[in-house]
Amino acid sequence: MSADDINNFRQIITSNGYRLTRAREATFRLLVSSEPQSVAKILAKAKGTVDRVSVYRNLELFEKLGIVHRVYIGWKHKIELSDDFVKHHHHLSCLGCGKIIDIEDESHIDEFIEHVAARADFAPRRHIFEVDGYCHDCKPTKTTR
Amino acid sequence: MSADDINNFRQIITSNGYRLTRAREATFRLLVSSEPQSVAKILAKAKGTVDRVSVYRNLELFEKLGIVHRVYIGWKHKIELSDDFVKHHHHLSCLGCGKIIDIEDESHIDEFIEHVAARADFAPRRHIFEVDGYCHDCKPTKTTR
DNA sequence: TGTTTATTGCAACAGAATTGCAATATAACG
DNA sequence: CGTTATATTGCAATTCTGTTGCAATAAACA
Ligand SMILES: [Mn+2]
Ligand SMILES: [Mn+2]
Ligand SMILES: [Zn+2]
Ligand SMILES: [Zn+2]
C-alpha cells in the first residue's frame, strides 16, 4: 500500500461526490494485504475501530466505485483490491494449506471469452475464474513416506 | 426431466445406502428446470411440501453424491443438476434479462488450467468459470432508437 | 406385519447482513 | 474562521440464511 494508493483512493471517493471520512479511510487501509480477504477477517480487523455496519456499507460503496471486487475461493467470496490498486487476475487456491497463488496470465482467458462470446453474440463484462486443488507441498499423490 | 432421470436418481440414492423418501424425491423434482437455481428459489418452491431443513439436508446429500453441484452466477451461487444429468459446463449470464447461456466448449479451459497449474506445480481439482455481460437482445451498445 | 433405525419436521439457535434513527462529523458557504 | 446543511456513522433492533437437538415418523427388510 503506497502513498499513491491512498491518494488514488481519496481521489475516487471525493471525485464521486462522497465524503472522505475516518471510517472510510480506515476500512480501506484494512484491505492492504494483496491477498483476498474474507469479510469476516476484515470485520475482525476493524473491531473497536470501525463499526461492523459501516464496514459493510463502505465495502458496498467501494465495490460500486470499483475500488474492490469479489473473488470466489473455496466456494466462499472474499474481498480484493481491484484494478487501479491490484490488476485483475485469478487464483490457484490450495485445499490443503489455504495458500493462494496468483495466475498472471490473463490473455488466454480473455481470448477464450472473446471466442465463446462471439459465437453467442454476447457482450462480456466481467468474469469469475478460480481453481481449487493442491499445491506443491500438499499434493496428496506424493508418497513421501 | 425424463423417467430415466428419476430412475437414475433412485439408483444413486439406494445404491449408496440411503433411503428413498417422499421428501428426497420431491426435492429432486424441484431441480427439474435445467437452469441453475438459487437455494432461495428452491426453498420457495418446496414451501408447504418439504420442510426447509430437509431441503438443506438433502441438497447437501445430493452434492455429496454428485447429483447436484454449485455454479456461481451474478456473484451468488446456484444449484444445478450435474454430471449424469447435465455434463459439467459454464455459463454466459445476461445482466439485462437474466438469461443463462451454456458454454459447451470445456476443452479450452481444461487446457489452460493444465498449463498454469503445471507452471506452479499445482494439482487442480475443481474450477469455477462464469461470465457476466449482455446477451444479443440486451446489448446496451445497440443504438436501436 | 413387526422391528430397526434413517429421516423428517418442528422449535430453538447461531451468525451474517440489513434497516431505522438519533448523534456526529464532513464539506461547503458566508 | 464560524455556521449550516446533510452525508455518514454507530448503536439497537430486526431480518435472513443456515444449523442443531430431538421426538415423531416412515423406509427398509426380515
Ligand atoms: Mn490475487
Ligand atoms: Mn447450465
Ligand atoms: Zn497447500
Ligand atoms: Zn439478456
Side-chain angles (χ1 to χ4, degrees):
Chain A
M1 160 97 41
S2 64
D4 270 0
D5 283 340
I6 294 286
N7 286 333
N8 192 179
F9 166 76
R10 290 178 176 151
Q11 164 64 18
I12 295 174
I13 295 294
T14 54
S15 71
N16 282 89
Y18 294 95
R19 292 182 180 179
L20 206 50
T21 70
R22 204 205 98 260
R24 214 101 90 175
E25 197 161 315
T27 303
F28 177 73
R29 285 176 188 279
L30 295 178
L31 307 174
V32 176
S33 140
S34 55
E35 293 227 319
Q37 301 177 68
S38 65
V39 173
K41 190 166 187 181
I42 296 169
L43 287 173
K45 285 201 206 166
K47 199 159 202 173
T49 313
V50 184
D51 188 80
R52 289 160 21 81
V53 180
S54 298
V55 173
Y56 278 117
R57 288 198 271 228
N58 281 319
L59 285 180
E60 194 186 355
L61 175 67
F62 292 176
E63 203 175 349
K64 196 179 82 177
L65 298 181
I67 294 169
V68 303
H69 60 112
R70 290 151 196 268
V71 298
Y72 280 94
I73 291 179
W75 310 99
K76 302 256 171 196
H77 76 254
K78 301 196 171 189
I79 307 289
E80 180 179 57
L81 284 178
S82 65
D83 295 77
D84 293 337
F85 304 94
V86 177
K87 206 166 171 311
H88 172 83
H89 62 277
H90 306 282
H91 308 93
L92 303 173
S93 43
C94 181
L95 296 165
C97 64
K99 192 189 302 166
I100 297 175
I101 302 166
D102 289 339
I103 300 178
E104 313 290 349
D105 185 354
E106 182 72 11
S107 57
H108 276 75
I109 297 181
D110 287 340
E111 267 172 41
F112 178 63
I113 291 175
E114 279 311 317
H115 175 67
V116 293
R119 282 205 297 177
D121 192 17
F122 190 89
R125 282 282 174 284
R126 309 179 300 181
H127 60 272
I128 303 175
F129 176 60
E130 299 293 334
V131 181
D132 276 3
Y134 294 93
C135 76
H136 173 71
D137 300 328
C138 301
K139 275 188 183 174
T141 53
K142 233 178 202 164
T143 14
T144 327
R145 62 182 61 184
Chain B
M1 158 97 40
S2 64
D4 271 0
D5 283 340
I6 293 285
N7 287 333
N8 192 181
F9 166 77
R10 289 177 177 154
Q11 164 64 18
I12 294 174
I13 295 293
T14 55
S15 71
N16 282 89
Y18 293 95
R19 293 183 180 176
L20 206 49
T21 69
R22 202 207 99 260
R24 213 101 88 177
E25 197 161 314
T27 303
F28 177 73
R29 286 177 188 279
L30 295 178
L31 306 174
V32 175
S33 138
S34 56
E35 293 228 320
Q37 301 177 69
S38 65
V39 173
K41 190 166 187 180
I42 296 169
L43 287 173
K45 284 202 207 166
K47 198 158 203 173
T49 313
V50 185
D51 188 81
R52 285 160 15 85
V53 181
S54 299
V55 173
Y56 278 118
R57 290 196 271 230
N58 282 320
L59 286 181
E60 195 185 354
L61 176 67
F62 292 176
E63 203 175 349
K64 196 179 82 179
L65 298 180
I67 294 170
V68 302
H69 61 110
R70 289 152 198 267
V71 298
Y72 282 94
I73 291 178
W75 311 98
K76 303 256 170 193
H77 77 255
K78 302 195 170 187
I79 306 290
E80 180 180 56
L81 284 179
S82 64
D83 294 76
D84 292 337
F85 303 95
V86 179
K87 205 165 172 309
H88 171 83
H89 61 277
H90 306 283
H91 309 92
L92 303 172
S93 43
C94 182
L95 297 165
C97 64
K99 191 189 303 166
I100 297 175
I101 302 167
D102 289 339
I103 300 177
E104 312 291 348
D105 184 353
E106 183 72 10
S107 57
H108 275 75
I109 298 181
D110 287 340
E111 266 173 41
F112 178 64
I113 291 174
E114 280 311 317
H115 176 65
V116 294
R119 282 205 298 176
D121 193 18
F122 190 90
R125 283 281 174 283
R126 308 178 299 181
H127 60 272
I128 301 174
F129 176 61
E130 299 294 334
V131 181
D132 277 2
Y134 294 92
C135 78
H136 172 72
D137 300 327
C138 301
K139 276 187 181 173
T141 53
K142 235 179 202 165
T143 13
T144 324
R145 62 181 67 182

